[in-house]
Amino acid sequence: MRSIYCGQLNNTHVDQTVELCGWINKRRDLGGLIFVDLRDREGVVQVVFDPDVAGLMDSATGLRNEFCVKLTGIVRARPESQINKDMATGEVEILGKSLEIINRSEPLPLDFNQKNSEEMRLKYRYLDLRRTEMSDRIKLRAKASSFVRNFLDSNDFLDIETPVLTKATPEGARDYLVPSRVHKGSFYALPQSPQLFKQLLMMSGFDRYYQIVKCFRDEDLRADRQPEFTQIDIETSFMSSDQVRAMTEKLIADMWQELLNVDLGAFPVMKYAEAMTRYGSDKPDLRNPLELIDVADLMKDVEFKVFSGPANDEKGRVAVLCVPGGAKLSRKQLDEYTKFIGIYGAKGLAWMKVNDRAAGAEGVQSPVAKFLNADVINTLLERTNAQTGDIILFGADKTNVVNEAMGALRLKVGLDLELTDLNKWAPLWVVDFPMFEEDDEGTLHAVHHPFTAPKDMTAAELEASPASAISDAYDMVLNGYEVGGGSVRIHNNDMQAAAFRILGIETQEQEDKFGFLLDALKYGTPPHAGLAFGLDRLAMLLCGTDNIRDVIAFPKTTQASCLLTNAPSVANPDSLVELAVAVALPEKESEK
């Protein structure tokens, strides 16, 4: 029906007759002439309807925004004084010769000229996607997917599909379950990732695999998380972790160069322990110059138990942030920061304003200064390199609470005081994660997943000292977002069984849940490693938005519901009977 997209027209098409299809973006009636902006997925072009063309004016007069039309016209150059430099097609316009209204439109429930609520945008997503901003985001995401495929294809990777109906495996979140009609009382699980299948593909001899695949996790949502998400899944055999990182770093660097004309440069590498010490996070945003500074050694003997308690606790931490220019913060703002870190379990926020650095301890203002002697304050000022006009913010608690609270505060203060350079890109590799972490009950859990290999340990050494094990794992971080993560996998049956035992998965449970994997590990398994990127998160960063829903065509809300289709919905009772599934609602919900 069309001969060219609206947004592709330029002065090389002058005097050509073209057929265009799209939507009326704007209509202007100037009496003798009618102008409309016609829009399709590639952009907008101006169309002029002249009364000299018989029969057209009546149809053109009836045009309204979002009418779907087809028209034929002649491309002509705009006079120099009428060139619109804000439009890609601003040097030309179309003289309409014929017009067909394919479908009229009722007044829209969305106003494209103002900001609509996200609820309305999601309810009428098919209309929201017509907006140029949203269209551009979806197109850029498509270009990113295409780039990934071309890059990996050219590096001898094979695109291989893995099952969607599979068996539940521990990936750190709850599974979405699918009841089986044939095997009544049994359930499939939707994959949280293709983890075991891609490892089995390595055992099958397909030494370079990739897949752009849907994954599913039933977990609490946020702006950069969805219940169903798209993963760029990559697995290799006979490649070290350094080689996997080098290849995937090139993939992302080349993508940014190609799509944004941005040179990310070489990615620095930082150990997990250093990242947590300096930034309180395993995905630090290096655009922010603030760093956590340990001061526990200064606080061990002070009278203030809030500081001395954690300082003398091997599981505690006392750390500070020195914020340049932060002395201007009002008491109200500091109270708001206190409330903010309470979200992360912190019990309070102590502070010290540096009003006169030259005066040392006499030049500070702080509610806790009376508990600290002059030597402690002076050493604190030296260690933080505090200057007049700065503020020092204190975190004192269990290490994980201090890390989470002060790490989050670092990000918030950096944005609030415009210390974070939002015009730069800051990539980073974080490596050498602990293999296991201990919860409050003393139970060990895998930091990544139970198939991650330790660095430089035998199975016996791993079982003897699991808390000291460092995993051969790596995360790629960009501007404070974890965009990809991976590891060298366990390729030895004894090592895998040992990892399971450490996690409390005994022999029978190992056989029930992972018997097929343990069997496969007996038959000449090659060393293998991989990495998975979150395509949605990459697209979010490429598009310059901070909401992952902006780059997904039909996303869910933070309540995991679809406002467009009203999913999830109540199942047909007959279907539940056929599946041998009974629904037992909580008492309050059943009364609704």
Side-chain angles (χ1 to χ4, degrees), residues 23 25 39-44 66 108-112 114 116-142 543 545 547-556 562 564-565:
W23 289 265
N25 199 59
R39 184 193 73 245
D40 59 24
R41 77 169 208 195
E42 295 300 321
V44 177
E66 299 308 310
L108 300 187
L110 299 180
D111 186 342
F112 287 177
Q114 67 181 30
N116 299 283
S117 70
E118 187 173 47
E119 181 179 2
M120 290 297 289
R121 289 176 55 210
L122 294 179
K123 183 175 181 179
Y124 297 99
R125 190 61 161 185
Y126 49 89
L127 296 178
D128 186 47
L129 290 174
R130 290 185 188 177
R131 294 191 300 121
T132 300
E133 180 182 40
M134 289 302 298
S135 176
D136 287 347
R137 288 169 177 166
I138 298 301
K139 287 190 292 182
L140 185 54
R141 177 192 171 111
C543 293
T545 178
N547 189 333
I548 207 167
R549 292 186 288 276
D550 286 340
V551 296
I552 299 174
F554 300 103
K556 304 290 191 296
C562 175
L564 174 64
T565 63

Side-chain angles (χ1 to χ4, degrees), residues 345-484:
K347 301 178 184 67
L349 179 65
W351 51 268
M352 180 179 289
K353 293 185 177 183
V354 184
N355 296 326
D356 183 358
R357 176 64 181 88
E362 298 298 320
V364 303
Q365 172 193 353
S366 171
V368 299
K370 60 187 176 183
F371 301 111
L372 310 177
N373 63 45
D375 288 342
V376 168
I377 294 175
N378 285 325
T379 305
L380 176 66
L381 295 174
E382 290 174 8
R383 185 173 297 182
T384 58
N385 194 29
Q387 304 297 316
T388 298
D390 295 350
I391 192 170
I392 298 173
L393 304 175
F394 295 79
D397 210 309
K398 295 294 184 183
T399 298
N400 64 319
V401 173
V402 171
N403 287 342
E404 290 188 20
M406 297 301 285
L409 183 61
R410 168 183 174 268
L411 296 178
K412 183 169 178 56
V413 170
L415 291 173
D416 289 351
L417 300 188
E418 299 182 351
L419 301 172
T420 302
D421 186 352
L422 300 178
N423 295 315
K424 68 182 286 189
W425 293 95
L428 173 72
W429 283 108
V430 178
V431 301
D432 288 358
F433 289 80
M435 192 162 174
F436 304 103
E437 60 185 356
E438 186 178 314
D439 63 19
D440 293 337
E441 285 73 44
T443 303
L444 291 178
H445 301 275
V447 170
H448 279 80
H449 53 62
F451 317 109
T452 300
K455 293 184 78 170
D456 306 320
M457 293 184 89
T458 65
E461 290 170 336
L462 180 66
E463 285 203 85
S465 183
S468 66
I470 300 297
S471 65
D472 202 351
Y474 34 84
D475 282 357
M476 184 187 291
V477 178
L478 186 57
N479 289 3
Y481 290 95
E482 178 199 330
V483 294

Side-chain angles (χ1 to χ4, degrees), residues 76-305:
R76 66 184 188 185
R78 290 198 197 189
E80 185 71 27
S81 61
Q82 296 179 20
I83 290 177
N84 187 342
K85 295 182 180 179
D86 295 329
M87 291 176 63
T89 60
E91 294 184 346
V92 298
E93 62 185 11
I94 308 299
L95 177 62
K97 291 297 182 181
S98 69
L99 172 65
E100 175 188 349
I101 299 176
I102 298 174
N103 258 317
R104 287 172 164 76
S105 173
E106 296 182 3
L108 300 187
L110 299 180
D111 186 342
F112 287 177
N113 296 314
Q114 67 181 30
K115 188 173 183 179
N116 299 283
S117 70
E118 187 173 47
E119 181 179 2
M120 290 297 289
R121 289 176 55 210
L122 294 179
K123 183 175 181 179
Y124 297 99
R125 190 61 161 185
Y126 49 89
L127 296 178
D128 186 47
L129 290 174
R130 290 185 188 177
R131 294 191 300 121
T132 300
E133 180 182 40
M134 289 302 298
S135 176
D136 287 347
R137 288 169 177 166
I138 298 301
K139 287 190 292 182
L140 185 54
R141 177 192 171 111
K143 290 178 181 178
S145 295
S146 178
F147 183 90
V148 168
R149 292 189 186 280
N150 291 335
F151 180 95
L152 294 175
D153 288 345
S154 67
N155 281 277
D156 300 324
F157 281 81
L158 299 174
D159 183 356
I160 306 175
E161 294 181 347
T162 53
V164 173
L165 296 176
T166 183
K167 188 174 184 177
T169 58
E171 298 281 350
R174 290 178 294 272
D175 291 304
Y176 281 100
L177 300 177
V178 180
S180 170
R181 178 186 59 82
V182 177
H183 305 281
K184 297 188 187 302
S186 295
F187 294 80
Y188 300 102
L190 300 182
Q192 294 186 35
S193 83
Q195 181 62 46
L196 296 185
F197 287 107
K198 63 187 176 187
Q199 289 190 241
L200 292 171
L201 286 170
M202 297 302 102
M203 300 171 196
S204 304
F206 298 103
D207 63 329
R208 293 195 175 198
Y209 140 95
Y210 84 94
Q211 188 180 186
I212 298 181
V213 59
K214 279 287 187 185
C215 301
F216 307 86
R217 295 186 182 181
D218 185 5
E219 58 188 349
D220 295 334
L221 307 184
R222 57 192 186 203
D224 66 338
R225 184 180 284 171
Q226 283 278 292
E228 53 178 313
F229 57 96
T230 305
Q231 189 163 290
I232 303 168
D233 207 42
I234 300 170
E235 196 77 8
T236 69
S237 297
F238 308 111
M239 288 181 70
S240 67
S241 56
D242 288 344
Q243 290 172 318
V244 171
R245 285 196 290 110
M247 181 197 64
T248 52
E249 178 177 322
K250 180 172 173 53
L251 166 62
I252 298 303
D254 287 0
M255 181 190 296
W256 252 248
Q257 188 69 63
E258 174 73 20
L259 301 183
L260 298 183
N261 194 28
V262 167
D263 181 2
L264 292 176
F267 292 22
V269 180
M270 183 180 296
K271 292 185 177 182
Y272 168 88
E274 180 184 355
M276 298 304 293
T277 298
R278 294 173 60 185
Y279 304 107
S281 171
D282 60 0
K283 50 181 186 297
D285 186 348
L286 299 187
R287 299 173 302 168
N288 181 329
L290 301 179
E291 294 191 19
L292 295 177
I293 301 170
D294 281 317
V295 294
D297 59 309
L298 303 180
M299 304 298 171
K300 288 187 175 183
D301 299 321
V302 301
E303 298 177 21
F304 196 40
K305 297 299 183 184

